[in-house]
Amino acid sequence: MLQDDETLEETEQQVRAAGPATGWTRWYGRDNPSASGDWETLSALRRENPGKICAAPSGIQARVKSTNSPASLTGDRFFQFNPLQGIVCKNCDQSDGGCEDYEVRFWCP
């Protein structure tokens, strides 16, 4: 069923006004650890995905992109790991000289 342009525009405005849904966001992986580390910061993810992440996430999960293994099982040391800033893993902080390639998701209350 086709909608006229005005109805379609109203529907799109309602969806945009609703904002991000409650619950876990999708997984985001914007960086890889090839330079100084893996930087999956909330500010960069918001810039690259406008309107997709709520204003004040209350939880964060991180996993290895290639294996889906939880970040907590890798042995990597994190410079930053919290829902209001995201995660930062610096290569120089790792005993083997490098971080895994991570992706993150946020809990939106």
Side-chain angles (χ1 to χ4, degrees), residues 79-102:
F79 176 75
Q80 177 177 290
F81 196 116
N82 68 70
L84 295 178
Q85 295 176 308
I87 71 165
V88 173
C89 178
K90 293 182 178 181
N91 289 336
C92 64
D93 292 340
Q94 312 313 314
S95 59
D96 65 359
C99 297
E100 297 287 341
D101 187 11
Y102 293 101

Side-chain angles (χ1 to χ4, degrees), residues 3-14:
Q3 296 178 324
D4 62 33
D5 288 340
E6 186 175 348
T7 305
L8 183 59
E9 184 176 322
E10 288 172 7
T11 302
E12 289 172 349
Q13 287 174 351
Q14 289 169 354

Side-chain angles (χ1 to χ4, degrees), residues 3-80:
Q3 296 178 324
D4 62 33
D5 288 340
E6 186 175 348
T7 305
L8 183 59
E9 184 176 322
E10 288 172 7
T11 302
E12 289 172 349
Q13 287 174 351
Q14 289 169 354
V15 170
R16 282 194 300 270
T22 299
W24 287 108
T25 64
R26 71 173 185 82
W27 290 97
Y28 296 97
R30 60 162 302 278
D31 193 23
N32 64 55
S34 61
S36 61
D38 197 21
W39 300 68
E40 305 296 343
T41 62
L42 182 56
S43 59
L45 290 166
R46 278 195 177 127
R47 255 192 325 275
E48 295 170 10
N49 302 277
K52 301 291 184 189
I53 303 170
C54 58
S58 61
I60 186 171
Q61 290 181 335
R63 67 183 185 186
V64 179
K65 209 173 193 177
S66 61
T67 65
N68 294 342
S69 297
S72 60
L73 301 180
T74 64
D76 280 353
R77 299 183 68 188
F78 292 89
F79 176 75
Q80 177 177 290

